[in-house]
Amino acid sequence: SGMMTTGIYTRGQEDVYASYAYIPNEDPAEVEKEPYILYYINVQTADGGNYLWTEGAWQDIHGEEVKAPEGFSAEELPFELIVE
């Protein structure tokens, strides 16, 4: 058996491109329950917007904190991570 070092899921729809990355959870107290954690979400919109979610907050390309782009949330992902 092995361990994934990085997992990336990408999705494009209606001129919006999004990528989601997972990395191994390095917290020994949590790794059994949650072996991988969401590292970032990057959303690029048709109007030139570029947004990044990391460490619980959304930022624009300039590093300013912003609201989540419509339809994107770290709590509601468009896929399910299955760990066996």
Side-chain angles (χ1 to χ4, degrees):
S1 86
M3 180 167 226
M4 174 177 71
T5 56
T6 305
I8 298 178
Y9 171 89
T10 58
R11 174 179 90 162
Q13 69 182 49
E14 300 178 15
D15 299 328
V16 176
Y17 174 81
S19 61
Y20 303 75
Y22 270 84
I23 60 172
N25 189 345
E26 295 183 358
D27 182 343
E30 296 287 322
V31 73
E32 179 101 13
K33 181 178 72 173
E34 190 173 19
Y36 299 98
I37 57 171
L38 184 61
Y39 182 55
Y40 72 76
I41 304 171
N42 178 242
V43 178
Q44 299 170 12
T45 60
D47 62 3
N50 193 338
Y51 307 96
L52 180 68
W53 175 93
T54 187
E55 299 180 6
W58 285 94
Q59 297 177 344
D60 64 15
I61 192 80
H62 307 290
E64 300 292 322
E65 196 162 317
V66 295
K67 290 184 358 183
E70 187 174 334
F72 294 92
S73 166
E75 288 78 34
E76 294 181 31
L77 303 176
F79 62 91
E80 182 179 346
L81 184 65
I82 300 172
V83 179
E84 294 182 1

